[in-house]
Amino acid sequence: MSIENTRPPHGGHNDQGITVLLRRMHDAVAQEASAQQRLDHLTRTIAAHVVADVCSIYLRRPDDELELYSTEGLNREAVHRTRLGIGEGLVGLVAQSRRPLVTDDAPHHPAFAYRPETGEDPLSAFLGVPLIRSGKTLGVLVVQNRTARNYTDEEVEAVQAVAALLAEIAASGELLSQEETAVVGEMLHRPETLSGFPIVDGVASGAAVFLQPPAPKHKVFASDVATEATRLEQGLTELRASVDAMLADNASLGGVSRDVLETYRLFAYDRGWKDRLRAAVFSGLTAEAAVEQVKNENRSRLLQARDPYLRERLHDLDDLAHRLLRLLSGDKNGARGQLDGDTILVARVMGPAELLEYDRKNLKGLVLGEVSATSHVAIVARALKIPMVTGLGDAIDRCEQGDQVIVDGDKGEIHIRPTSDVVEAFRARKELQSERQEAYVKERELPARTKDGADVTVMINAGLALDMPHLNDTGAHGVGLFRTELQFLIGSQLPSATAQEALYREVLDLADGKPVIFRTADIGGDKTAAYMDHGNEMNPAMGWRGLRMAVDRPGIIRPQLRALLAAAAGRTLHIMFPMVTLASELDHARAQLEREVDRIRRRGGAEPEKILIGAMIETPAAAWRIEEIAAKVDFVSIGGNDLAQFYFAADRDSERVQRRYDMMNPGFLSFLHQCLEKARAAGVSVSYCGEQAADPVNAAALIAVGVREFSVPAPSVGPFRRLIRSLDAGEIGAWAASEFGAPDDTLRERFTAFLLEKGANIASIEG
Ligand code: PEP
Ligand code: MG
């Protein structure tokens, strides 16, 4: 890597060069007796291989100082003497930023810290790369050159590959003394608190289980290369067979989309991938370490890739490598669902169907990398009362399978490996929360009436028979939104009309005379059933879903309508259609319903006593012409999750844009106000069933713009009713109306201040 040497650093071919280097590193570790000798041999090997004047390894001490452990090129007296704090000097900066740092003029870099004992005065070029394992910075690998030169991307990549391997061997015990390895182990297992965003409130604790479990612990260097090559070959064969089986067998697809599996297959059969794995094994690594090594190389390449599609594939590629690692460890059991004891499930992304695959008794909390409050996985988690936090992509790297984790769904934090006092504090909070819940149960008979006498109807959102006991616990008026698609998502095939009928009958029986509004299956968007082919839609939320699918595929809606009619024989049936865009779409839905009613009559079967039809207002097109829709139905319900998504043109599932626009935007609130007025003028009742009302300030704003019927997640009912009793609907309505034209992006802060001034109980919904 010196300027004198202008040839590419690895004999012209990067992968081959890395392989040679790995082999030399293997020899270095195998040959030397003491930990210091092994490290020194490594720095010598790396420096020679990358043609650097200096190669140094700094390791992080438990006191968070970075200590020079070995060097080739700097003064040897500096070893174990030179120390830098995290963030101090270029080395400290690399550790702090956890990113490579490249400069051709180190002494003039603003972060440069001079350490005379190292004798590094004449060194200009600097490349530092962090040693990261399980999300923790274990140290820094540095190469330096006297001449001012820029390291190429290829060179940076090579040093990153070496750093990844060094981090692995530092943790495996093959590099350091027993004592030092214990220090590294301790660092990897310190208690940590990570902050993200709250999605489902409540607190929970349990052992971390990964949706995609991490690779089991393994040795890094092979004792017999031939054995490792055979193991790798066998692992690849099993991997390919398992991916083929998944593709062939529709029933086993589970929640994983076919697209992803097609990509797995591509990678699983990729010749280049296999060649690189084999080369890594022949350089002296175990099959597992080879997979890790190639995975890390791919990762750094993909992370630098600009193309978002390519970056997304990173997730798939990681998954494939993980599967291979599990197969290599002898774990042939890919089955999910079974959980032993209290569990916190940790994943980067997750769909609602995947969540439903898990055993609910032991699933206590959820930690997701990316998800929004109105995504369907959040809705299902809320229905199941599973505390959930998001924005914690890091969690996967920072905790290990089996670590104890506390999920604080109120604050949006998690505590990994908490100390005993944190555990105790949370136990007390949990107790307090259950006491509060008991208090809400006692208040359930109190009227949901504002201080100035406006009655508000509070219903619950549901989707499983399991939700129905909440009706009684909360004293809710009924089920304002029963998401029937959940049954469609749980199974591996379309539920039969008989199975649907059984569920609807059970739900109506459990409701015991309270109204239940069944929303016909809204499949599509993020609620894809593995057995249905949605084609390759670029924008599934705006694609073939809800009523659109029902219009095109009577084969799905007709059995569902038949099941609903049969289950509600002799009782009142409420049916609501999702994702209405044009009023004419309702004519199609009605025509199908009428056919099913005729069918019953022809056969002399029992019909519902009364059928009430509703439409969801979820698209701006439907909201703008709500009176046309209203003319065709008995009631409408504003699906605020989707309506806000389409109003702001901001994907409700995208972490990046979800919090960018607030529903407390004066434009959106006045838009809702107009919709309500128009619907009422058309003579239909109008409710609001978006999840936003689970937030107290949102809920108060919705009352202010005129909503009087709500359907909210069950856990919000008690606190919501308490909030209602503390509000003056006229007063907040006047405030909102005077602000409809305000230029603010959001009225949240000012409205919150107003509510607090008026003594509204807005802290209560968080329970
Ligand atoms: C909505 O969009 O607000 C709604 C209630 O429906 P879902 O969340 O199921 O799309
Ligand atoms: Mg919706």
Side-chain angles (χ1 to χ4, degrees), residues 374-376 379 461 481 483 485 519 522 526-527 545 576 578-579 616-618 637-644 652 688-692:
T374 60
S375 68
H376 289 100
I379 288 168
N461 291 344
L481 169 68
R483 293 183 165 99
E485 63 274 5
R519 196 248 318 258
D522 182 15
D526 69 335
K527 296 178 284 191
R545 58 175 283 201
M576 180 159 75
M579 272 299 282
M616 286 194 75
I617 305 299
E618 301 183 277
S637 186
I638 297 176
N641 305 327
D642 275 315
L643 188 59
R652 65 193 262 192
Y688 192 96
C689 61
E691 305 283 307
Q692 295 105 335

Side-chain angles (χ1 to χ4, degrees), residues 351-362:
E354 279 166 316
L355 172 54
L356 288 167
E357 278 173 39
Y358 281 91
D359 137 29
R360 270 165 236 140
K361 191 165 61 61
N362 289 332

Side-chain angles (χ1 to χ4, degrees), residues 77 84 245 264 276 301 326 348-349 376 407 426 434 456 462 546 564 603 612 621 737:
E77 290 79 60
L84 292 149
Y264 288 159
R276 280 158 61 211
R301 268 177 214 164
R326 263 179 288 150
R348 274 186 220 284
V349 282
H376 289 100
V407 174
F426 272 88
S434 34
V456 179
L564 285 166
R603 296 174 174 223
L612 295 170

Side-chain angles (χ1 to χ4, degrees), residues 179-194:
E179 215 175 83
E180 302 282 351
T181 305
V183 169
V184 170
E186 206 179 285
M187 207 140 57
L188 289 172
H189 290 96
R190 280 200 287 215
E192 281 194 75
T193 296
L194 305 181

Side-chain angles (χ1 to χ4, degrees), residues 417-449:
R417 302 174 288 271
T419 53
S420 54
D421 46 338
V422 173
V423 173
E424 180 48 36
F426 272 88
R427 201 195 48 73
R429 219 167 100 196
K430 223 175 149 167
E431 240 172 56
L432 194 74
Q433 283 183 345
S434 34
E435 275 167 25
R436 272 203 218 159
Q437 284 303 335
E438 276 167 31
Y440 293 134
V441 172
K442 286 198 192 115
E443 289 172 14
R444 71 191 156 173
E445 305 302 338
L446 295 177
R449 186 172 297 144

